[in-house]
Amino acid sequence: MQTLRIKTASSQDTERARPGPRPGPGRDLTPLLAGAATAAGGFGAVLALVDSGSPLRGPFTLFFLLAAPAAAIAAALRGLEPFGRTVAAVAGAVVVNMLVAQGMLAVHRWSVRGGIVAVTAISALLLLLVLVRRLRGRTTRRRTD
């Protein structure tokens, strides 16, 4: 009687067999989608600030009000996994919008323009703090290396 053995491929063979990133169109759409989202959000903010009567004002402004703080919060949560980071960023964006609305209503200064400006300022401040933290971390690591 003869024993048959199945030869398995080594990890080096499987690494070589895996195809790398394919060149061509559709390779990486992330920058394109990020640019389109930025343009749509900016367009919504501008439509709201100029008090346009366009039917696109509502959806684009809502997109801006969710995307701007979510992007800022997602930038701050760089260490999380993508799904958890997305959920936390969207939840944080809703919280930022609710706090802005509640604060404006509490002081009897509610306005659409004021809300857009406040959310923009908070989102820009969050992004600026993330940028400063990253730059400070780089200079600290360079000094210690």
Side-chain angles (χ1 to χ4, degrees):
M1 185 177 261
Q2 189 176 17
T3 305
L4 297 175
R5 296 188 187 249
I6 299 173
K7 185 178 179 182
T8 59
S10 68
S11 62
Q12 292 176 351
D13 292 339
T14 57
E15 288 297 322
R16 277 186 264 142
R18 289 184 185 162
R22 294 181 303 170
R27 181 178 53 162
D28 191 16
L29 293 177
T30 305
L32 179 65
L33 293 175
T38 303
F43 186 62
V46 168
L47 285 176
L49 289 174
V50 299
D51 201 22
S52 172
S54 170
L56 298 175
R57 175 185 171 189
F60 282 151
T61 303
L62 180 62
F63 179 76
F64 172 77
L65 288 173
L66 286 174
I73 293 169
L77 299 175
R78 223 170 95 184
L80 291 179
E81 292 182 14
F83 182 71
R85 184 174 166 183
T86 302
V87 169
V90 170
V94 170
V95 168
V96 166
N97 287 319
M98 295 301 234
L99 287 175
V100 166
Q102 186 177 3
M104 292 178 76
L105 287 171
V107 296
H108 303 288
R109 297 287 181 197
W110 170 251
S111 72
V112 174
R113 289 181 184 158
I116 296 289
V117 170
V119 168
T120 303
I122 291 170
S123 300
L125 181 65
L126 282 171
L127 280 172
L128 183 65
L129 290 173
V130 168
L131 180 65
V132 167
R133 186 180 70 183
R134 285 185 189 165
L135 289 176
R136 183 176 295 156
R138 282 186 184 172
T139 56
T140 307
R141 273 187 262 135
R142 285 184 186 161
R143 288 180 192 159
T144 59
D145 290 341

